[in-house]
Amino acid sequence: MTQWSYQVSPAPSSTGATSETAVPIERLAFKDLAIDWSTGDLSLPIRFVEGVDAIVQNLRIRLRFMLGEWFLDQRLGIPYIEQIFVAAPDVPLVDALLKRAILTTPGIAAVPVFQSRFESAERRYYVDRFEAKLIDGSVLSIVNSPLLLDLGDA
């Protein structure tokens, strides 16, 4: 996966939160060690990501996490081999699995926009765009960086 481009829009005023009651995402405990996405290892020198950057990093990890990969709880992860990398993938099921992974990421409250497509001739599934409403009411938009699943030859 290449580096994602994303933008965060402030919470709309219709959420009911005011400047006195809204808690900015940066003030919440979203902090993690930074990952170098070109290697998959910790970024060197070691540094932290916080706030929205930590949520995006956690989301990327969740979308790469295969079912049964973690030895401490093999029920966690996305069933890529069992449900997605099959001869005839069920596209609505793939959408639902990925949306669930996004929605269960700490800091994400809803997924109001999710646009995907499956090109059967190339056997490629794309998530062209999605928006995630964060718990502070702001909206995280993944832009200009489609998520691609190359299903290869089945």
Side-chain angles (χ1 to χ4, degrees), residues 8 12-13 15 19 21 32 50 54 66 80 88 94 101 106 111 118 122 125-126 133 142 146 154:
V8 178
S13 58
T15 61
S19 59
T21 61
D32 200 358
E50 298 179 13
M66 296 182 79
Y80 284 110
V94 174
V111 183
F118 177 65
E122 298 175 2
Y125 173 88
Y126 297 87
K133 183 176 178 184
I142 303 298

PDB file of all heavy atoms in Angstrom, residues 8 12-13 15 19 21 32 50 54 66 80 88 94 101 106 111 118 122 125-126 133 142 146 154:
ATOM      1  N   VAL A   8      -8.934  16.067   6.897  1.00  0.00           N
ATOM      2  CA  VAL A   8      -9.905  16.058   7.992  1.00  0.00           C
ATOM      3  C   VAL A   8     -10.691  17.348   7.933  1.00  0.00           C
ATOM      4  O   VAL A   8     -10.126  18.437   7.903  1.00  0.00           O
ATOM      5  CB  VAL A   8      -9.203  15.908   9.354  1.00  0.00           C
ATOM      6  CG1 VAL A   8     -10.218  15.956  10.476  1.00  0.00           C
ATOM      7  CG2 VAL A   8      -8.406  14.626   9.400  1.00  0.00           C
ATOM      8  N   PRO A  12     -19.371  19.276  11.543  1.00  0.00           N
ATOM      9  CA  PRO A  12     -20.420  20.221  11.174  1.00  0.00           C
ATOM     10  C   PRO A  12     -21.161  20.706  12.415  1.00  0.00           C
ATOM     11  O   PRO A  12     -21.232  20.013  13.424  1.00  0.00           O
ATOM     12  CB  PRO A  12     -21.338  19.411  10.258  1.00  0.00           C
ATOM     13  CG  PRO A  12     -21.010  17.990  10.523  1.00  0.00           C
ATOM     14  CD  PRO A  12     -19.622  17.940  11.065  1.00  0.00           C
ATOM     15  N   SER A  13     -21.728  21.886  12.349  1.00  0.00           N
ATOM     16  CA  SER A  13     -22.402  22.459  13.515  1.00  0.00           C
ATOM     17  C   SER A  13     -23.664  21.697  13.888  1.00  0.00           C
ATOM     18  O   SER A  13     -24.162  21.828  14.988  1.00  0.00           O
ATOM     19  CB  SER A  13     -22.741  23.931  13.251  1.00  0.00           C
ATOM     20  OG  SER A  13     -23.563  24.032  12.109  1.00  0.00           O
ATOM     21  N   THR A  15     -23.938  18.679  14.660  1.00  0.00           N
ATOM     22  CA  THR A  15     -23.697  17.571  15.588  1.00  0.00           C
ATOM     23  C   THR A  15     -24.152  17.891  16.992  1.00  0.00           C
ATOM     24  O   THR A  15     -24.224  17.016  17.835  1.00  0.00           O
ATOM     25  CB  THR A  15     -22.202  17.213  15.634  1.00  0.00           C
ATOM     26  OG1 THR A  15     -21.474  18.343  16.099  1.00  0.00           O
ATOM     27  CG2 THR A  15     -21.694  16.752  14.290  1.00  0.00           C
ATOM     28  N   SER A  19     -18.113  24.639  20.688  1.00  0.00           N
ATOM     29  CA  SER A  19     -16.686  24.764  20.957  1.00  0.00           C
ATOM     30  C   SER A  19     -16.380  24.499  22.431  1.00  0.00           C
ATOM     31  O   SER A  19     -15.284  24.120  22.781  1.00  0.00           O
ATOM     32  CB  SER A  19     -16.180  26.139  20.542  1.00  0.00           C
ATOM     33  OG  SER A  19     -16.892  27.135  21.246  1.00  0.00           O
ATOM     34  N   THR A  21     -18.095  22.170  24.299  1.00  0.00           N
ATOM     35  CA  THR A  21     -18.324  20.769  24.641  1.00  0.00           C
ATOM     36  C   THR A  21     -17.554  19.789  23.775  1.00  0.00           C
ATOM     37  O   THR A  21     -17.337  18.655  24.171  1.00  0.00           O
ATOM     38  CB  THR A  21     -19.826  20.410  24.530  1.00  0.00           C
ATOM     39  OG1 THR A  21     -20.253  20.607  23.189  1.00  0.00           O
ATOM     40  CG2 THR A  21     -20.652  21.242  25.478  1.00  0.00           C
ATOM     41  N   ASP A  32       0.595   6.358  19.147  1.00  0.00           N
ATOM     42  CA  ASP A  32       1.221   5.085  18.829  1.00  0.00           C
ATOM     43  C   ASP A  32       2.618   5.340  18.291  1.00  0.00           C
ATOM     44  O   ASP A  32       2.932   6.452  17.860  1.00  0.00           O
ATOM     45  CB  ASP A  32       0.385   4.346  17.775  1.00  0.00           C
ATOM     46  CG  ASP A  32       0.654   2.857  17.732  1.00  0.00           C
ATOM     47  OD1 ASP A  32       1.521   2.359  18.478  1.00  0.00           O
ATOM     48  OD2 ASP A  32       0.002   2.173  16.930  1.00  0.00           O
ATOM     49  N   GLU A  50       0.204  10.881  16.684  1.00  0.00           N
ATOM     50  CA  GLU A  50      -0.866  11.201  17.618  1.00  0.00           C
ATOM     51  C   GLU A  50      -2.102  11.662  16.880  1.00  0.00           C
ATOM     52  O   GLU A  50      -2.040  12.028  15.706  1.00  0.00           O
ATOM     53  CB  GLU A  50      -0.414  12.313  18.566  1.00  0.00           C
ATOM     54  CG  GLU A  50       0.764  11.954  19.423  1.00  0.00           C
ATOM     55  CD  GLU A  50       1.197  13.090  20.329  1.00  0.00           C
ATOM     56  OE1 GLU A  50       0.442  14.073  20.476  1.00  0.00           O
ATOM     57  OE2 GLU A  50       2.296  12.996  20.895  1.00  0.00           O
ATOM     58  N   ALA A  54      -2.574   8.868  14.244  1.00  0.00           N
ATOM     59  CA  ALA A  54      -2.596   7.573  14.931  1.00  0.00           C
ATOM     60  C   ALA A  54      -3.819   6.762  14.515  1.00  0.00           C
ATOM     61  O   ALA A  54      -3.739   5.541  14.343  1.00  0.00           O
ATOM     62  CB  ALA A  54      -2.576   7.775  16.444  1.00  0.00           C
ATOM     63  N   MET A  66      -4.787 -10.041   8.515  1.00  0.00           N
ATOM     64  CA  MET A  66      -5.512 -11.200   8.012  1.00  0.00           C
ATOM     65  C   MET A  66      -6.089 -12.031   9.163  1.00  0.00           C
ATOM     66  O   MET A  66      -5.475 -12.142  10.226  1.00  0.00           O
ATOM     67  CB  MET A  66      -4.587 -12.069   7.166  1.00  0.00           C
ATOM     68  CG  MET A  66      -4.097 -11.351   5.926  1.00  0.00           C
ATOM     69  SD  MET A  66      -3.057 -12.364   4.896  1.00  0.00           S
ATOM     70  CE  MET A  66      -4.306 -13.320   4.073  1.00  0.00           C
ATOM     71  N   TYR A  80      -9.405 -12.482   4.315  1.00  0.00           N
ATOM     72  CA  TYR A  80      -9.013 -12.308   2.917  1.00  0.00           C
ATOM     73  C   TYR A  80      -8.991 -13.637   2.165  1.00  0.00           C
ATOM     74  O   TYR A  80      -9.580 -13.768   1.096  1.00  0.00           O
ATOM     75  CB  TYR A  80      -7.639 -11.640   2.822  1.00  0.00           C
ATOM     76  CG  TYR A  80      -7.658 -10.159   3.106  1.00  0.00           C
ATOM     77  CD1 TYR A  80      -7.101  -9.645   4.261  1.00  0.00           C
ATOM     78  CD2 TYR A  80      -8.247  -9.278   2.213  1.00  0.00           C
ATOM     79  CE1 TYR A  80      -7.118  -8.289   4.521  1.00  0.00           C
ATOM     80  CE2 TYR A  80      -8.277  -7.915   2.463  1.00  0.00           C
ATOM     81  CZ  TYR A  80      -7.710  -7.429   3.614  1.00  0.00           C
ATOM     82  OH  TYR A  80      -7.739  -6.086   3.874  1.00  0.00           O
ATOM     83  N   ALA A  88     -14.943 -16.353  -7.114  1.00  0.00           N
ATOM     84  CA  ALA A  88     -16.028 -15.411  -7.399  1.00  0.00           C
ATOM     85  C   ALA A  88     -16.360 -14.654  -6.103  1.00  0.00           C
ATOM     86  O   ALA A  88     -17.277 -15.028  -5.388  1.00  0.00           O
ATOM     87  CB  ALA A  88     -17.251 -16.150  -7.908  1.00  0.00           C
ATOM     88  N   VAL A  94     -17.549  -8.291   0.595  1.00  0.00           N
ATOM     89  CA  VAL A  94     -16.238  -7.643   0.705  1.00  0.00           C
ATOM     90  C   VAL A  94     -16.416  -6.215   1.228  1.00  0.00           C
ATOM     91  O   VAL A  94     -15.703  -5.793   2.138  1.00  0.00           O
ATOM     92  CB  VAL A  94     -15.495  -7.648  -0.651  1.00  0.00           C
ATOM     93  CG1 VAL A  94     -14.203  -6.843  -0.562  1.00  0.00           C
ATOM     94  CG2 VAL A  94     -15.210  -9.074  -1.102  1.00  0.00           C
ATOM     95  N   ALA A 101     -14.227  -3.372   9.356  1.00  0.00           N
ATOM     96  CA  ALA A 101     -12.861  -3.127   9.836  1.00  0.00           C
ATOM     97  C   ALA A 101     -12.627  -1.639  10.069  1.00  0.00           C
ATOM     98  O   ALA A 101     -11.979  -1.246  11.038  1.00  0.00           O
ATOM     99  CB  ALA A 101     -11.841  -3.679   8.836  1.00  0.00           C
ATOM    100  N   PRO A 106     -10.667   2.177  16.631  1.00  0.00           N
ATOM    101  CA  PRO A 106     -10.860   3.174  17.679  1.00  0.00           C
ATOM    102  C   PRO A 106     -10.709   4.591  17.125  1.00  0.00           C
ATOM    103  O   PRO A 106      -9.767   4.890  16.387  1.00  0.00           O
ATOM    104  CB  PRO A 106      -9.753   2.861  18.686  1.00  0.00           C
ATOM    105  CG  PRO A 106      -9.481   1.405  18.480  1.00  0.00           C
ATOM    106  CD  PRO A 106      -9.653   1.175  17.003  1.00  0.00           C
ATOM    107  N   VAL A 111     -19.188   5.318   9.082  1.00  0.00           N
ATOM    108  CA  VAL A 111     -18.652   5.317   7.718  1.00  0.00           C
ATOM    109  C   VAL A 111     -19.793   5.731   6.792  1.00  0.00           C
ATOM    110  O   VAL A 111     -20.465   4.886   6.211  1.00  0.00           O
ATOM    111  CB  VAL A 111     -18.085   3.931   7.322  1.00  0.00           C
ATOM    112  CG1 VAL A 111     -17.470   3.977   5.931  1.00  0.00           C
ATOM    113  CG2 VAL A 111     -17.075   3.445   8.342  1.00  0.00           C
ATOM    114  N   PHE A 118     -15.486  -3.373  -8.491  1.00  0.00           N
ATOM    115  CA  PHE A 118     -14.779  -4.620  -8.791  1.00  0.00           C
ATOM    116  C   PHE A 118     -14.680  -4.738 -10.297  1.00  0.00           C
ATOM    117  O   PHE A 118     -15.686  -4.688 -10.996  1.00  0.00           O
ATOM    118  CB  PHE A 118     -15.530  -5.823  -8.206  1.00  0.00           C
ATOM    119  CG  PHE A 118     -14.891  -7.142  -8.529  1.00  0.00           C
ATOM    120  CD1 PHE A 118     -13.635  -7.461  -8.049  1.00  0.00           C
ATOM    121  CD2 PHE A 118     -15.542  -8.062  -9.333  1.00  0.00           C
ATOM    122  CE1 PHE A 118     -13.038  -8.683  -8.344  1.00  0.00           C
ATOM    123  CE2 PHE A 118     -14.961  -9.281  -9.629  1.00  0.00           C
ATOM    124  CZ  PHE A 118     -13.715  -9.583  -9.140  1.00  0.00           C
ATOM    125  N   GLU A 122      -9.989  -7.811 -14.773  1.00  0.00           N
ATOM    126  CA  GLU A 122      -8.657  -7.706 -14.174  1.00  0.00           C
ATOM    127  C   GLU A 122      -8.574  -8.375 -12.808  1.00  0.00           C
ATOM    128  O   GLU A 122      -7.493  -8.486 -12.247  1.00  0.00           O
ATOM    129  CB  GLU A 122      -8.264  -6.231 -14.030  1.00  0.00           C
ATOM    130  CG  GLU A 122      -8.163  -5.498 -15.340  1.00  0.00           C
ATOM    131  CD  GLU A 122      -7.885  -4.016 -15.125  1.00  0.00           C
ATOM    132  OE1 GLU A 122      -7.740  -3.578 -13.964  1.00  0.00           O
ATOM    133  OE2 GLU A 122      -7.811  -3.303 -16.130  1.00  0.00           O
ATOM    134  N   TYR A 125     -10.280  -5.295  -7.040  1.00  0.00           N
ATOM    135  CA  TYR A 125     -11.296  -4.631  -6.222  1.00  0.00           C
ATOM    136  C   TYR A 125     -10.689  -3.327  -5.727  1.00  0.00           C
ATOM    137  O   TYR A 125      -9.581  -3.313  -5.185  1.00  0.00           O
ATOM    138  CB  TYR A 125     -11.669  -5.535  -5.042  1.00  0.00           C
ATOM    139  CG  TYR A 125     -12.585  -4.895  -4.039  1.00  0.00           C
ATOM    140  CD1 TYR A 125     -13.958  -4.952  -4.193  1.00  0.00           C
ATOM    141  CD2 TYR A 125     -12.067  -4.243  -2.934  1.00  0.00           C
ATOM    142  CE1 TYR A 125     -14.805  -4.364  -3.257  1.00  0.00           C
ATOM    143  CE2 TYR A 125     -12.904  -3.659  -1.995  1.00  0.00           C
ATOM    144  CZ  TYR A 125     -14.266  -3.723  -2.174  1.00  0.00           C
ATOM    145  OH  TYR A 125     -15.096  -3.139  -1.253  1.00  0.00           O
ATOM    146  N   TYR A 126     -11.401  -2.238  -5.928  1.00  0.00           N
ATOM    147  CA  TYR A 126     -10.921  -0.927  -5.523  1.00  0.00           C
ATOM    148  C   TYR A 126     -11.887  -0.297  -4.523  1.00  0.00           C
ATOM    149  O   TYR A 126     -13.091  -0.393  -4.701  1.00  0.00           O
ATOM    150  CB  TYR A 126     -10.858   0.039  -6.719  1.00  0.00           C
ATOM    151  CG  TYR A 126      -9.905  -0.352  -7.812  1.00  0.00           C
ATOM    152  CD1 TYR A 126     -10.313  -1.193  -8.840  1.00  0.00           C
ATOM    153  CD2 TYR A 126      -8.612   0.145  -7.834  1.00  0.00           C
ATOM    154  CE1 TYR A 126      -9.452  -1.535  -9.864  1.00  0.00           C
ATOM    155  CE2 TYR A 126      -7.742  -0.192  -8.861  1.00  0.00           C
ATOM    156  CZ  TYR A 126      -8.163  -1.032  -9.871  1.00  0.00           C
ATOM    157  OH  TYR A 126      -7.309  -1.366 -10.886  1.00  0.00           O
ATOM    158  N   LYS A 133     -16.548   9.252   9.873  1.00  0.00           N
ATOM    159  CA  LYS A 133     -16.844  10.275  10.876  1.00  0.00           C
ATOM    160  C   LYS A 133     -16.112   9.879  12.151  1.00  0.00           C
ATOM    161  O   LYS A 133     -16.266   8.769  12.657  1.00  0.00           O
ATOM    162  CB  LYS A 133     -18.351  10.353  11.129  1.00  0.00           C
ATOM    163  CG  LYS A 133     -18.735  11.435  12.089  1.00  0.00           C
ATOM    164  CD  LYS A 133     -20.236  11.526  12.235  1.00  0.00           C
ATOM    165  CE  LYS A 133     -20.610  12.592  13.241  1.00  0.00           C
ATOM    166  NZ  LYS A 133     -22.056  12.619  13.455  1.00  0.00           N
ATOM    167  N   ILE A 142     -10.402   9.781   2.841  1.00  0.00           N
ATOM    168  CA  ILE A 142      -9.251   9.220   2.135  1.00  0.00           C
ATOM    169  C   ILE A 142      -9.415   9.647   0.687  1.00  0.00           C
ATOM    170  O   ILE A 142     -10.417   9.322   0.045  1.00  0.00           O
ATOM    171  CB  ILE A 142      -9.184   7.690   2.269  1.00  0.00           C
ATOM    172  CG1 ILE A 142      -9.143   7.287   3.744  1.00  0.00           C
ATOM    173  CG2 ILE A 142      -7.991   7.136   1.510  1.00  0.00           C
ATOM    174  CD1 ILE A 142      -7.960   7.784   4.527  1.00  0.00           C
ATOM    175  N   PRO A 146      -6.615   5.236  -3.939  1.00  0.00           N
ATOM    176  CA  PRO A 146      -7.531   4.103  -3.866  1.00  0.00           C
ATOM    177  C   PRO A 146      -6.870   2.874  -3.261  1.00  0.00           C
ATOM    178  O   PRO A 146      -5.704   2.597  -3.516  1.00  0.00           O
ATOM    179  CB  PRO A 146      -7.912   3.858  -5.325  1.00  0.00           C
ATOM    180  CG  PRO A 146      -6.808   4.463  -6.116  1.00  0.00           C
ATOM    181  CD  PRO A 146      -6.272   5.601  -5.298  1.00  0.00           C
ATOM    182  N   ALA A 154      -7.599 -16.960 -10.048  1.00  0.00           N
ATOM    183  CA  ALA A 154      -8.192 -17.927  -9.107  1.00  0.00           C
ATOM    184  C   ALA A 154      -8.548 -19.196  -9.848  1.00  0.00           C
ATOM    185  O   ALA A 154      -8.775 -19.239 -10.999  1.00  0.00           O
ATOM    186  CB  ALA A 154      -9.416 -17.341  -8.460  1.00  0.00           C
TER     187      ALA A 154
END
